[in-house]
Amino acid sequence: MLKRLLIILSILALGLLLYSVFVEDIFSPPLSPKDTAEISLNDLTLKVEYNRPSKRDREIFGALVPFDKVWRTGANEATTFETNQDLLIDGIVLKKGKYTIWTVPMKDSWKVMFNSKQYDWGVNEKMEPMWDPNYDALEFQVPSEELDVTVERFTIAFDNKTGHLKLTMAWDNTLIEVPIDVKEAKSQT
């Protein structure tokens, strides 16, 4: 009985090893690892969770990520943005809460959408974005900048070095900046 159990366990272990090597390859690092960008300023806390695809000698914008089409803004799961306070973005109020970020890269600018719906994944089985525009809480356009350096891995970060908070997104040789202001609460008189 013990001998049979050991044989079964050995076969299962071998099967899992073969599966992991040939199907899932769990021993190599993920191609688009998860990452988080966070910032805390006074009472404000912002957090972005996203997956970071790599350039890997590919042409990115206008090719891998087509111009004028909705992009999940990263890889794998939909990118999420969370704020504990109401914000002003492009002069429009974004209520505190959790959103997904979707973008439309264009040649000289990007459209950015904060969507109130939470999605399990960024694309469907046909590789089409799962974004539903009916849930857009905010949509605006920002200029894109060409960088002198190549950003190998898609990067989202917060920049407050000048005292003007920005959410930045960079990949390949492209950068966008989303200006963020805290919405002042109305004082009661």
Side-chain angles (χ1 to χ4, degrees):
M1 179 72 172
L2 185 58
K3 190 175 181 180
R4 274 190 177 163
L5 182 61
L6 286 173
I7 290 172
I8 291 171
L9 288 175
S10 297
I11 291 171
L12 281 173
L14 180 63
L16 285 172
L17 177 67
L18 291 173
Y19 177 80
S20 68
V21 169
F22 293 108
V23 178
E24 287 291 321
D25 199 8
I26 61 172
F27 298 110
S28 50
L31 293 176
S32 301
K34 289 184 180 211
D35 205 349
T36 302
E38 296 179 89
I39 192 166
S40 292
L41 300 168
N42 301 321
D43 295 334
L44 176 66
T45 301
L46 303 175
K47 179 179 179 181
V48 175
E49 292 179 309
Y50 68 111
N51 288 75
R52 300 182 67 194
S54 296
K55 179 174 170 52
R56 295 193 317 264
D57 295 321
R58 300 178 290 182
E59 187 178 338
I60 302 300
F61 297 108
L64 180 67
V65 178
F67 285 134
D68 306 314
K69 294 194 184 238
V70 174
W71 179 43
R72 64 179 141 179
T73 316
N76 305 334
E77 296 94 350
T79 294
T80 61
F81 175 92
E82 195 166 357
T83 176
N84 69 335
Q85 291 187 27
D86 291 354
L87 303 174
L88 271 177
I89 300 178
D90 197 43
I92 304 168
V93 176
L94 182 69
K95 296 282 187 190
K96 70 179 178 178
K98 188 172 185 178
Y99 299 88
T100 51
I101 299 177
W102 303 85
T103 51
V104 178
M106 297 176 279
K107 201 158 183 63
D108 298 316
S109 64
W110 284 26
K111 189 184 297 182
V112 180
M113 294 86 76
F114 285 79
N115 191 280
S116 62
K117 186 173 179 180
Q118 298 302 303
Y119 303 83
D120 291 334
W121 203 249
V123 294
N124 62 22
E125 62 280 346
K126 295 178 185 174
M127 297 303 289
E128 300 165 333
M130 295 184 76
W131 164 74
D132 182 344
N134 295 313
Y135 292 92
D136 282 353
L138 182 63
E139 179 184 305
F140 56 95
Q141 203 163 313
V142 293
S144 59
E145 298 176 38
E146 189 168 330
L147 299 171
D148 295 333
V149 297
T150 299
V151 178
E152 174 62 28
R153 198 170 284 252
F154 178 62
T155 302
I156 296 178
F158 291 101
D159 178 352
N160 193 42
K161 64 182 170 258
T162 63
H164 299 282
L165 182 59
K166 297 173 192 151
L167 174 67
T168 64
M169 298 180 206
W171 196 17
D172 194 6
N173 63 347
T174 301
L175 168 76
I176 67 163
E177 297 178 329
V178 175
I180 297 174
D181 293 307
V182 177
K183 183 176 182 323
E184 299 296 326
K186 290 183 180 178
S187 60
Q188 307 232 341
T189 52

